[in-house]
Amino acid sequence: MANPANSLTGAIEEVFSKGVQKNLSATLVGSQITGKEAQAALASGADTYNKPYIARGSASTYTRYTDITPQAHTATNEQMIVNTAKVYDFSMDRLDSRQLQKAAAVIAHHQKEAAFALQRELDAEVFAEYSNANYKFTGGNISTSATVSATAVTTANSAEIFGEIHAHLMNVTGARQGLYAVIDPEHARFIQQRGLTDGFNIADAVFRNGYAGDFVGFKTFVSTNLPSSISLNIATNPTDGDTFTINGVLFTFVATLGAVAGNVHICSTAAATVDNLVVAFNALGTAVAEATDTGYVVISQQDISRLPGVAATDGTTSLDLTLYGRPVVSETLTDGTDAWDTAPVIHANFGEFGAIEQAIQENVSTMVTPREFQLGDLYKTYTLSGAKVFNEGADRFVDVQLG
């Protein structure tokens, strides 16, 4: 495999500012709400955790001197497989290291970036289990429906949402392990406003990832890593020069592909253009050659990092995206009927501690190896983990769909 070429000459100082610019970081919360039974069992090795369960029986009325009908109890085995491996790599040539006055700071910077990126993946692995919840809060009500319907959060209804879900969980599970809620900063903003007017107080921590305080019976956490979904409607083929942005990353529809990052070729039909976008978004770092119904120019690595966990599906007349966090979007499509959804759907996570199980066998470990035939080192930071909602956990948390 060819070694990627880094370009570090821009950081070799004639005059170098003190230190390296700090990146935004956050305290991640997935490991604070999950069960650790599997992790403890797999600490010494192995990749599979078995957890059998027996379906619950029920009590029946007994009549004296009358035979009872025995209940059948069947054991079912469930497994968690720890096989999610993620890696973040960075190379440093020894000559760059020699000439960089702040070489240690540059390496530390990338190691911090690696840790944050991988810990975000660990968080997202937990929150992605929302689809395995038996109950949803959708369209303003608790339901078992598979329909996705977000509830718009306001200052007025924020406490009511918590209250309704709290009552549901108490009725279903008794909340013996205590209750948690993981919400995004937008929802937290409304709770803070409610707190200022109604006497609740979740402190300044509401605006950072991590524990923010207790609210309506829940230990409340704020995260920017909750799964979200949003769609860009494209029923009419775009016009040359039309654009859309997501999290500040610009994509431009063009008749001739060219070489500008983020250019997307306009295909023969609107449906074909959507197909082209799906291919592009599912491999943002891979160029797609221009042809009648294909074409995409890769965006920068920095821009790719602004779209964490992004995945695309074909809605025929829409580009349907999922990613981590609440996306910020805009568009300049010529056809006025084509646009982004009014608001994304955020899958907040409310439940009983330990409802979701996670095992982390390698938690942000780093290995440094020399590059063969080069005067350089390759830093490889990695994780190994798995997450699972076992049968007993599926009733113990709720996929809370918020707008």
Side-chain angles (χ1 to χ4, degrees):
M1 177 183 292
N3 292 324
N6 290 315
S7 179
L8 297 176
T9 55
I12 296 174
E13 296 86 351
E14 292 179 2
V15 176
F16 194 89
S17 62
K18 294 182 179 180
V20 177
Q21 181 180 358
K22 293 181 179 178
N23 285 303
L24 294 176
S25 61
T27 302
L28 300 164
V29 305
S31 63
Q32 299 182 63
I33 66 171
T34 51
K36 298 296 185 291
E37 186 177 292
Q39 179 162 312
L42 298 174
S44 60
D47 66 351
T48 303
Y49 176 68
N50 293 287
K51 187 172 184 176
Y53 70 92
I54 300 174
R56 292 176 181 172
S58 59
S60 59
T61 301
Y62 172 68
T63 302
R64 297 179 188 186
Y65 309 110
T66 302
D67 291 346
I68 64 172
T69 302
Q71 298 183 72
H73 296 278
T74 303
T76 301
N77 187 47
E78 292 186 289
Q79 292 184 326
M80 170 195 282
I81 300 176
V82 178
N83 62 356
T84 301
K86 300 287 184 178
V87 65
Y88 183 113
D89 67 278
F90 169 70
S91 298
M92 173 70 81
D93 193 281
R94 297 291 177 88
L95 301 185
D96 283 334
S97 180
R98 177 64 182 84
Q99 292 184 320
L100 284 165
Q101 292 178 17
K102 306 292 184 181
V106 171
I107 292 170
H109 163 83
H110 278 280
Q111 289 177 325
K112 180 180 178 182
E113 281 283 276
F116 175 64
L118 291 170
Q119 287 176 334
R120 168 180 258 176
E121 293 291 335
L122 292 174
D123 237 15
E125 177 182 55
V126 172
F127 300 142
E129 291 294 318
Y130 75 86
S131 60
N132 292 314
N134 282 343
Y135 294 98
K136 330 285 183 186
F137 183 79
T138 177
N141 298 289
I142 298 290
S143 171
T144 57
S145 169
T147 301
V148 176
S149 177
T151 299
V153 182
T154 66
T155 303
N157 72 4
S158 57
E160 284 73 14
I161 290 172
F162 271 70
E164 183 171 347
I165 299 169
H166 185 277
H168 163 77
L169 289 169
M170 291 295 291
N171 286 332
V172 172
T173 73
R176 290 166 292 181
Q177 304 300 318
L179 297 177
Y180 71 83
V182 185
I183 58 178
D184 82 322
E186 182 73 4
H187 193 181
R189 177 173 68 89
F190 289 113
I191 293 175
Q192 186 181 51
Q193 291 173 354
R194 176 93 179 199
L196 292 173
T197 57
D198 291 358
F200 296 107
N201 181 14
I202 50 178
D204 294 339
V206 73
F207 288 109
R208 60 175 169 81
N209 279 8
Y211 178 61
D214 292 353
F215 189 70
V216 193
F218 291 88
K219 288 192 175 298
T220 304
F221 299 83
V222 182
S223 175
T224 57
N225 293 329
L226 288 170
S228 65
S229 57
I230 193 167
S231 296
L232 177 63
N233 299 300
I234 306 177
T236 303
N237 225 359
T239 300
D240 185 58
D242 283 0
T243 68
F244 68 93
T245 62
I246 179 167
N247 290 349
V249 181
L250 175 67
F251 296 89
T252 305
F253 292 107
V254 291
T256 302
L257 189 60
V260 177
N263 276 2
V264 178
H265 186 226
I266 301 170
C267 302
S268 58
T269 65
T273 297
V274 170
D275 291 341
N276 186 34
L277 283 168
V278 170
V279 171
F281 269 85
N282 284 330
L284 285 170
T286 302
V288 179
E290 181 178 3
T292 301
D293 287 332
T294 62
Y296 159 69
V297 181
V298 295
I299 57 177
S300 69
Q301 188 62 44
Q302 182 72 20
D303 279 347
I304 292 174
S305 73
R306 294 188 176 106
L307 303 173
V310 70
T313 55
D314 185 353
T316 305
T317 59
S318 65
L319 171 68
D320 301 335
L321 298 176
T322 58
L323 67 163
Y324 311 155
R326 183 182 293 269
V328 178
V329 297
S330 63
E331 49 80 18
T332 63
L333 298 178
T334 298
D335 191 307
T337 61
D338 287 340
W340 289 102
D341 287 344
T342 304
V345 177
I346 307 296
H347 293 274
N349 195 307
F350 288 47
E352 186 176 339
F353 283 98
I356 303 171
E357 191 78 18
Q358 185 181 39
I360 303 173
Q361 285 189 313
E362 290 289 347
N363 188 359
V364 191
S365 303
T366 299
M367 179 170 63
V368 183
T369 55
R371 277 200 175 280
E372 190 176 11
F373 307 123
Q374 290 187 12
L375 299 175
D377 296 314
L378 177 61
Y379 295 77
K380 294 168 286 190
T381 305
Y382 59 97
T383 58
L384 178 62
S385 64
K388 171 82 173 181
V389 175
F390 289 101
N391 179 72
E392 67 175 12
D395 284 344
R396 294 168 55 203
F397 76 111
V398 179
D399 168 24
V400 182
Q401 300 166 7
L402 303 177

